[in-house]
Amino acid sequence: KQQVEELDLRKEKINRQQITILVISVLIVIAVLVSLLVVILFFKNHRTTAKLSRTLSHLKNTQDQLIQSEKMASLGTLTAGVAHEINTPLGIIVTSISLTREKTHEIKKDFAAGTLSKSVMAKYFDSVEQSSGMSTKALERVITLLANFKQVAADQVVEEAREVNLIEYIEEVMNTLSAELKRSKVNYRYTGEAELVLTTIPGIFAQVLTNLVTNAIRHGFEYKENGNINIHVSPWNGGGAKIVFADDGCGMTQEVINKIYDPFFTTKRSRGGTGLGMNIVYNLINKKLEGHIDIE
C-alpha cells in the first residue's frame, strides 16, 4: 500500500513536472516567435521608414520646386506688367521728340528763307517746353517703375531678411502690378498706417502680395467689368503687422473657403489652373514669414 501511494505521488509529481515543462516549452516557443516577429517587424519598419524618408524628401523637393516655379511665375507677372506699363511713357517720349523734331525742321526752313517771325518762335518755344515737360514726366515714370521692379525682383531672387518700410514696399509692389490692374479695370486703394518699419523677408512678402492680387483678378473679378482692391495695414503685437487684403469681387462659397489652402484645389482646372497659388501663399506666410492667415 505504501509503495502504491508512493508510486501515485511520483506519478503526480511527474505529471506536474511534465505540465511545467510543457508550459515552459510553450512560453519559450512564444518568446522565440515574438522575437522573430519583432526582428521581422524591425527590418520591415526600417525599410518602410527609409522609403517614407525618401518619399518625404522627394515631396519636399517637389514643394520647393513648386514654390520656385510659382515665384518665377510671380516674377514673370511683374516683368510683363512693368514692360507693358513702360510702353505708355516711352510712347509719349517718342511722340514728344518726334513733334519737337518736326517743329525744329519747320523753324530751320523759315530761318533759312528769312521768314521767321517772333510769333512763330514764341509758338515753337511753347511747343518745345510742353514736349520737354511731357518727356520729363514720362521718363520719371519709367525710372520709378524700373527702380521698383529692380528692388522687388532682387528681393524675390535673394530672399534675405532686411528692414523695410512696409507701406512704401507695398506701394512699390502694387506699382509694378499697375498694368495688370488697369487691364482688368481694377482700382487699388491703401488705408492705414502712413509708415511702419519692420524686419521681414521682402521677396517672400512681394510674392504673397502678387499672388493675392492675381488671384483676385482671375477669380474675383472674372465676371465683373471693374472692381476695387483695398489694403489696410496696422501694427501688430511684437513688432509685426496686420495686413487686411480685401476686394469687392464675386466672393467664395463656404465649400471653396474650406478647401482654399488645399494643394491642387482650383475652380479653374479646365482653364489651366494649378490650384497651388493659395497653398503656396499659406506656406510662405506660416513657414517663411512665421505669420498667420485667415480668410472670409
Side-chain angles (χ1 to χ4, degrees), residues 29-80:
V29 170
I30 292 173
V32 171
L33 290 175
V34 169
S35 299
L36 286 174
L37 184 62
V38 168
V39 171
I40 291 171
L41 288 175
F42 173 77
F43 283 108
K44 187 176 180 180
N45 182 63
H46 181 71
R47 288 197 299 270
T48 304
T49 302
K51 187 176 180 180
L52 287 174
S53 296
R54 288 194 299 270
T55 303
L56 183 63
S57 176
H58 177 69
L59 286 173
K60 190 176 184 305
N61 291 334
T62 303
Q63 183 186 37
D64 292 340
Q65 290 173 7
L66 289 172
I67 291 175
Q68 188 70 15
S69 175
E70 193 71 14
K71 182 203 298 181
M72 291 300 103
S74 171
L75 203 54
T77 301
L78 292 178
T79 305

Side-chain angles (χ1 to χ4, degrees), residues 3-108:
Q3 287 178 349
V4 170
E5 289 177 354
E6 187 177 346
L7 187 60
D8 290 338
L9 287 172
R10 287 183 179 180
K11 286 181 178 180
E12 185 178 350
K13 185 176 181 181
I14 290 171
N15 288 334
R16 287 199 301 271
Q17 289 176 345
Q18 287 177 339
I19 291 172
T20 302
I21 292 171
L22 181 62
V23 170
I24 292 173
S25 299
V26 170
L27 290 175
I28 290 173
V29 170
I30 292 173
V32 171
L33 290 175
V34 169
S35 299
L36 286 174
L37 184 62
V38 168
V39 171
I40 291 171
L41 288 175
F42 173 77
F43 283 108
K44 187 176 180 180
N45 182 63
H46 181 71
R47 288 197 299 270
T48 304
T49 302
K51 187 176 180 180
L52 287 174
S53 296
R54 288 194 299 270
T55 303
L56 183 63
S57 176
H58 177 69
L59 286 173
K60 190 176 184 305
N61 291 334
T62 303
Q63 183 186 37
D64 292 340
Q65 290 173 7
L66 289 172
I67 291 175
Q68 188 70 15
S69 175
E70 193 71 14
K71 182 203 298 181
M72 291 300 103
S74 171
L75 203 54
T77 301
L78 292 178
T79 305
V82 169
H84 182 272
E85 193 71 5
I86 285 176
N87 280 337
T88 302
L90 287 181
I92 292 172
I93 294 169
V94 171
T95 303
S96 299
I97 292 174
S98 298
L99 183 62
T100 302
R101 188 176 180 182
E102 289 176 8
K103 293 288 184 183
T104 303
H105 281 310
E106 291 176 6
I107 291 294
K108 284 176 70 176

Side-chain angles (χ1 to χ4, degrees), residues 67 200-201 204-209 211-212 241 243 245 261 277-294:
I67 291 175
T200 185
I201 308 175
I204 298 295
F205 176 72
Q207 187 179 348
V208 168
L209 191 55
N211 280 20
L212 291 177
I243 305 170
F245 181 96
Y261 301 128
M278 291 305 294
N279 174 259
I280 288 175
V281 165
Y282 179 86
N283 285 310
L284 290 177
I285 289 176
N286 282 271
K287 295 178 181 179
K288 297 278 188 176
L289 299 179
E290 299 179 7
H292 180 71
I293 180 171
D294 285 318

